[in-house]
Amino acid sequence: MPDVDLQALYAELETRAFPGSWTEWVHGALPVTSNASGHAIVLAESDEFWDDHDGSAAAAAGEHLASVYRNYEIAATVVWGGPRLVDITHRLAGGETSPFTELLLEQGAISGNFWDRGERALGLAICQMDKEMAIQVVAFVVPTGELQK
């Protein structure tokens, strides 16, 4: 069972304004990064892997967080139906730099599963900026229009 109730989290953030510039804040105990296109909320994260010379700690953390991610995905799917995979690779290849692509890249994601909730969507992704950095399960709250591009 996920630690964070995604329905409640989404309800709390669905009308919160997106700031004009990068903003870091905390929602309860959850770190949030926001920009003009959305909010990225860290739901779970591993330690960093600076001393993981053989990669075993990263592999174990990756397996654990994949399980955490699946639990969140199942919980969201039960409530909202199947997600839509959004991949920004084609946008990046076309040279797009938008607040949406920047929000995902800032977390170390190029794709995620998103649930259309009307004017906004909730997304989930497993993110990692670099092999030494923490692996994270991140929820995104973004304008639904970003899913159509």
Side-chain angles (χ1 to χ4, degrees):
M1 186 61 129
D3 290 339
V4 176
D5 180 339
L6 289 179
Q7 279 184 279
L9 178 68
Y10 179 78
E12 292 169 16
L13 296 179
E14 72 177 322
T15 58
R16 184 178 175 116
F18 301 139
S21 61
W22 285 102
T23 305
E24 292 184 9
W25 51 287
V26 177
H27 177 75
L30 304 174
V32 181
T33 302
S34 300
N35 74 358
S37 187
H39 308 297
I41 307 100
V42 178
L43 302 175
E45 74 179 330
S46 69
D47 291 328
E48 295 180 347
F49 305 105
W50 296 103
D51 297 322
D52 185 26
H53 302 295
D54 67 357
S56 60
E63 288 177 26
H64 171 71
L65 287 170
S67 175
V68 169
Y69 172 86
R70 280 190 300 278
N71 287 337
Y72 279 115
E73 184 178 45
I74 290 166
T77 299
V78 165
V79 176
W80 297 318
R84 175 179 178 183
L85 177 65
V86 173
D87 187 322
I88 62 170
T89 305
H90 69 283
R91 297 181 195 194
L92 299 173
E96 178 182 323
T97 57
S98 69
F100 178 71
T101 58
E102 290 171 2
L103 183 67
L104 268 64
L105 290 174
E106 178 72 17
Q107 302 304 313
I110 58 167
S111 65
N113 283 319
F114 285 80
W115 289 263
D116 183 335
R117 303 297 313 127
E119 289 185 29
R120 294 192 178 179
L122 179 115
L124 291 171
I126 296 175
C127 305
Q128 187 177 24
M129 286 299 298
D130 190 80
K131 69 179 186 170
E132 288 87 11
M133 302 302 290
I135 302 168
Q136 300 177 323
V137 176
V138 177
F140 296 91
V141 176
V142 300
T144 301
E146 291 293 350
L147 308 184
Q148 311 307 322
K149 297 179 181 179

